[in-house]
Amino acid sequence: MRNPAYLRARYAGILRLTGGITGLIGLVLLSPLAGLFFFPEEAALAGGFALPGVIVTAVGGLLVGGLRSREVEELTYAEGATIIVMAWLTALVAGAVPFWMLLELSFTQALFESTSGWTTTGLSVLDVAAAPRLILLFRSILQYTGGAGFAVIMLSALAGPPGTGIGAAEGRPAGLAPNVRRSAELVLKLYSGYVLCGILALHLAGMGWFDALNHALTAVSTGGFSTRPESIGYWNSPLVEAVTIVLMLLGGTNFLTAYMLLTGHFAHVRCNGELHLLLLLVAVGVPLILLTGVGHLYPSWPPALRSAVFQTVSALSTTGFSTTGYGGWNAGGLLLLTFLMVIGGGTGSTAGGIKLHRVYLLIRGLVWEFRRQILPEKAVSAPYLWQGNQRRFITDDELRHAGLFLFLYLCCWAAGSLVVCSWGYPVADGLFEFASAVGTVGLSVGVTAADTPPAVLWTQIAGMLLGRLEFFTVILGVIKLVRDARVMLRADRSQRR
């Protein structure tokens, strides 16, 4: 409905819900201050977190309190997209302030670091060897919060249709339970449980507590920020790598699949096509990466195989941890990693990329199309997949949506890579680096650094945000905001006349 009075009433409720998420963003900015109990020598940094944290929290509180009477009974998908776009833009800018205030970074670099954190990408322009521990902790907290989606956290405080609209716009429409609040709570319990187990396992594997905390947060969120310039390769430990691989796979697996496995619903897991595709890609990717990427970099096969397994899982789960540099890799190995980054992890997980479910859906549709061509003219056939232990037929709408998403994704990848390459980087490097950005992965061949041109950083910022929110949400949210603002402004001008 385009009635200005109706739109103003709806936006009052939308702003109230956005205010709730804004308040949570402020608390995230304040959370690194808890680290001062362990690092009191970094107390001088407190203002860089306290000032933006208090301001953002206060703004969120004012929106919620001032618009308390403006309840929204039910959100449309477009209204949910509007909330998500406003909340994410607030988070990116607010998250940049501590980097900008406390480090010698330009605003573009600070915004890039914030975006990489919130979107769980992991590309960085920081020298982590020289960064204060509060900053390292802050980056990890950003990825942990962004991985779950602060909208999911908001869902745990909402019941009914408003929460459903926000969840769908965040790209998390599938629930673990019939009630949206219960679903969000289960996701957060699983997510937090992964992290707690990861901290303990990484510490027992040989990491100090601080490193274990940060890497558990960023592994489960498939973020990839590390406390070491060498990433996981710093430890050169098979045990640390094994624990990290498990955490990356957990983070990159659909929460619904993990929940069914933990609750003993093995039929759902056994018939899950997305999980089958994940295992197939790992089984095929590891030997190919071994032969084309890392095999010649090691004196013997065991360490080469270890590296191939780790890089394959890191790329496919879109985590971005590494145990080796990519300077000695040949083009074939980098191309394979690029394909894995583009495919990405499971739908309803913390991973990015096109997502395994869409790829599996399109494969099933393609197989069905070939089968349809050779079947008798009057034969009835339809593509299907298994959902739990039940066969579900694939609709034309699902195939169309997956195809359009793939088209948008590839167009964005091509356009972003073109911008990167136009600044003088080789084509292979541009394709790899922007695939890492739009897939929210974080692996880098050296394009992203402190001296990267601002235009390249802004292009990657756009790619990370579009990839994290899966295009349709950003596009729809921006279009709705612009169209509704025009209607309301036009009405205001008419009244003044």
Side-chain angles (χ1 to χ4, degrees), residues 19-30:
I21 302 179
T22 301
L24 291 173
I25 294 169
L27 295 179
V28 171
L29 298 182
L30 292 170

Side-chain angles (χ1 to χ4, degrees), residues 15-16 18-30 49-68 90 94:
L15 285 174
R16 181 177 183 273
T18 306
I21 302 179
T22 301
L24 291 173
I25 294 169
L27 295 179
V28 171
L29 298 182
L30 292 170
F49 300 104
L51 180 62
V54 169
I55 292 174
V56 173
T57 303
V59 170
L62 288 173
L63 286 173
V64 173
L67 300 170
R68 186 172 299 278
T90 301

